[in-house]
Amino acid sequence: MVKNRRLESEGPLFGVRHLQCLLVFCGLSVAYALRVNLSVAIVAMTDRNDSNPDFDEYQWSEKTKSLVLSSFFWGYVVTQVPAGSLAHKFGGKVMLLLGIGICSVLTVLTPICARLGDWKLVCGLRVIQGLSQGFLFPSTHTILSKWAPVEERGTLGTYSYSGAQFGTVVMLATSGIVASSSMGWPGIFYISGGVGIAWTFAWFAWGASSPAEYKRISPEEKKLIETSLGCASQTEENAAPMKTPWCRILTSPPFLVLALVHCTHNWGFWTLLTEIPTYMKNILGMDIKSNALLSALPYTAMFLMCFVFSTLQSTLSRHQCIPLSVSRKLFNSIGHWIPMITLIALGYVGADRINLAIVLLTITVGINASTYLGFQVNHIDLSPNFAGVLMGITNCAANIMSIIAPLIVGFIVTDEKNPTQWRIIFFTAAGFYFVGNLLFVIFGKTTVQPWNDMKSSQVAKGDDVNYAESQH
């Protein structure tokens, strides 16, 4: 420890590792902007009176719009499980470059595809975008594991992964203004895609999979990183790969509960993310400019609450106020059951109480940040050695919910201006939040499972937990 502190003092205040994390932050911001841009753009695409009327309008039903919004996740779920292996084999830089680069180019082509092939071609394009973004988090995780010293994993991981919420906020806040400008709704895709392409050039020039690949890194900083990671990393790299106990994982009750709560979380979260702009327009009667700005408010709250809950958990942990299992279930309950209550209340708020509706939406989404300290870090509790495999499986299953949830909205909401139908949507999401967290509280575990091979337990568990908790 003394040696690490001495080496840390020799490292630069802003080094190459900080540059890598800044680039990753920007990359995740771009990726999430590309992911959610259609949520607001589709409002303008289907109603020219809400934006610049000089551009094409498409007569898409609510079912068609839900189909288009969900199509991204058809491809996204496919590449979740193999993404980690490919990032390990080819390097995080290459896979992140290809993932965001391909998605950015296709985003620029979206208006042309809509004009040539209507919603069917747009769906096909979004599927490919989903395939490319499936490599996003495994690649990011691989890069951080090479660049972040053990002592800085929590800090650098938090800064990097917070880009996801930042990109969502910026896109939702600006897309309505762009759609009403002279660029029209195509400008949403041109600007976001163009920024993504610019990021790929910056990442190609300054990004690196590991310190060994970056020629301009100082000897002091390289030594700092390699000394911190070297012993554990070299041991793991030189050892024979551990076989994944697939059968025991897939039949493990705590893991199955974890997968279930991940699925229920995604149902509620992505229902809100994809449908809030439409709900604000048709029920609350907002124009697209105020719609987009206010749609960003809940995700701004979530971005900030990530740091609030992280600080609170660190304080509780430092003073050993509550056991780990209680901490996980407490924060998960906050992140699921408070939104459950606000969603039920939201179902009874009419257009005459817009401010209350905005407050409830902000609380619903913002408090979701608490789950980053709940189920979303439980993978490493159950199995430190196979945490990445567990995340790939549960994230794949959970994103199937991201496909189904918008489709269900299309089947239930046949009249977009009917508050009763929207009430059913909110009640359904609240029900998923309630059941998922209840099962997690009753059956969830934080103890390492028997099928985890503890031979590699030399890695500092506390640092790994802090690192995982910083992921967004």
Side-chain angles (χ1 to χ4, degrees):
M1 291 180 63
V2 174
K3 182 180 180 180
N4 284 342
R5 284 196 293 268
R6 180 179 61 79
L7 286 170
E8 187 174 359
S9 65
E10 295 175 1
L13 183 63
F14 184 86
V16 177
R17 66 189 186 281
H18 301 107
L19 173 63
Q20 299 304 305
C21 289
L22 177 61
L23 290 170
V24 169
F25 170 88
C26 295
L28 289 175
S29 298
V30 168
Y32 264 69
L34 300 178
R35 185 181 300 194
V36 304
N37 56 11
L38 189 61
S39 296
V40 176
I42 201 168
V43 177
M45 293 171 72
T46 55
D47 188 353
R48 63 175 53 172
N49 294 324
D50 273 345
S51 58
N52 191 327
D54 297 332
F55 292 86
D56 295 335
E57 179 182 77
Y58 299 96
Q59 302 301 320
W60 295 346
S61 67
E62 187 62 27
K63 289 183 180 179
T64 299
K65 288 190 286 185
S66 297
L67 193 67
V68 172
L69 288 172
S70 69
S71 58
F72 175 92
F73 298 97
W74 303 353
Y76 188 68
V77 298
V78 173
T79 47
Q80 286 294 315
V81 176
S85 298
L86 290 173
H88 177 75
K89 182 177 180 179
F90 297 105
K93 174 182 178 177
V94 174
M95 301 314 300
L96 197 61
L97 182 73
L98 291 176
I100 297 181
I102 292 172
C103 191
S104 300
V105 172
L106 293 179
T107 298
V108 174
L109 297 177
T110 299
I112 298 175
C113 292
R115 190 176 302 115
L116 296 178
D118 204 61
W119 68 269
K120 295 180 181 179
L121 189 54
V122 173
C123 274
L125 181 144
R126 292 287 289 181
V127 170
I128 300 174
Q129 287 181 306
L131 286 169
S132 66
Q133 283 212 21
F135 295 93
L136 189 65
F137 286 104
S139 300
T140 299
H141 184 89
T142 302
I143 290 166
L144 288 174
S145 70
K146 301 293 186 182
W147 277 100
V150 173
E151 302 82 5
E152 301 178 4
R153 279 178 175 174
T155 303
L156 297 182
T158 297
Y159 292 158
S160 299
Y161 280 97
S162 62
Q165 299 304 326
F166 182 76
T168 300
V169 168
V170 171
M171 178 49 60
L172 292 179
T174 60
S175 54
I177 299 174
V178 173
S180 300
S181 70
S182 58
M183 297 185 69
W185 62 260
I188 297 175
F189 300 103
Y190 295 148
I191 293 176
S192 59
V195 172
I197 293 172
W199 177 89
T200 59
F201 282 106
W203 180 244
F204 179 80
W206 296 305
S209 295
S210 66
E213 294 184 9
Y214 200 95
K215 297 180 179 179
R216 294 186 296 275
I217 188 172
S218 68
E220 293 81 9
E221 185 177 11
K222 185 176 181 181
K223 186 177 181 181
L224 163 66
I225 298 171
E226 291 180 346
T227 300
S228 179
L229 302 178
C231 295
S233 299
Q234 289 171 8
T235 300
E236 291 178 2
E237 288 175 2
N238 295 334
M242 297 173 60
K243 292 185 178 180
T244 304
W246 292 105
C247 291
R248 300 192 68 182
I249 289 175
L250 297 176
T251 56
S252 171
F255 171 70
L256 294 177
V257 169
L258 174 59
L260 184 60
V261 70
H262 199 162
C263 289
T264 59
H265 171 82
N266 267 37
W267 182 288
F269 185 81
W270 282 99
T271 295
L272 290 171
L273 182 60
T274 57
E275 301 298 337
I276 278 179
T278 302
Y279 170 78
M280 286 183 166
K281 172 182 178 291
N282 293 292
I283 300 299
L284 303 183
M286 298 179 181
D287 61 72
I288 193 168
K289 287 184 180 179
S290 59
N291 186 340
L293 289 171
L294 290 174
S295 292
L297 180 60
Y299 300 97
T300 304
M302 187 174 181
F303 173 73
L304 297 175
M305 291 304 292
C306 287
F307 300 96
V308 173
F309 285 124
S310 179
T311 302
L312 177 60
Q313 193 277 338
S314 297
T315 302
L316 292 174
S317 177
R318 185 168 57 252
H319 292 88
Q320 299 181 341
C321 296
I322 55 177
L324 179 63
S325 60
V326 176
S327 175
R328 294 283 183 263
K329 295 175 182 180
L330 172 63
F331 282 101
N332 207 72
S333 297
I334 293 172
H336 278 182
W337 281 355
I338 292 179
M340 173 193 71
I341 295 171
T342 55
L343 274 174
I344 293 173
L346 186 63
Y348 292 97
V349 177
D352 57 332
R353 306 183 72 181
I354 292 179
N355 291 337
L356 178 58
I358 297 301
V359 170
L360 291 174
L361 278 172
T362 302
I363 293 174
T364 302
V365 178
I367 295 297
N368 260 278
S370 183
T371 61
Y372 291 129
L373 303 168
F375 83 90
Q376 297 205 43
V377 74
N378 191 228
H379 306 77
I380 199 167
D381 296 331
L382 298 180
S383 176
N385 292 325
F386 300 107
V389 175
L390 302 189
M391 176 58 80
I393 298 172
T394 65
N395 205 33
C396 178
N399 278 286
I400 294 175
M401 298 298 103
S402 304
I403 298 174
I404 298 175
L407 294 177
I408 294 299
V409 173
F411 283 105
I412 294 177
V413 182
T414 55
D415 180 4
E416 296 177 352
K417 299 183 181 298
N418 188 334
T420 302
Q421 293 179 355
W422 283 101
R423 191 174 300 150
I424 295 173
I425 299 301
F426 294 143
F427 282 13
T428 301
F432 274 103
Y433 277 147
F434 176 76
V435 173
N437 186 65
L438 180 64
L439 293 174
F440 184 72
V441 169
I442 296 174
F443 300 108
K445 302 291 184 182
T446 56
T447 54
V448 176
Q449 296 303 290
W451 36 267
N452 179 73
D453 186 351
M454 296 306 295
K455 292 180 181 179
S456 301
S457 59
Q458 295 93 336
V459 179
K461 295 180 182 178
D463 291 323
D464 284 344
V465 170
N466 289 336
Y467 174 62
E469 287 174 346
S470 72
Q471 294 185 20
H472 302 305

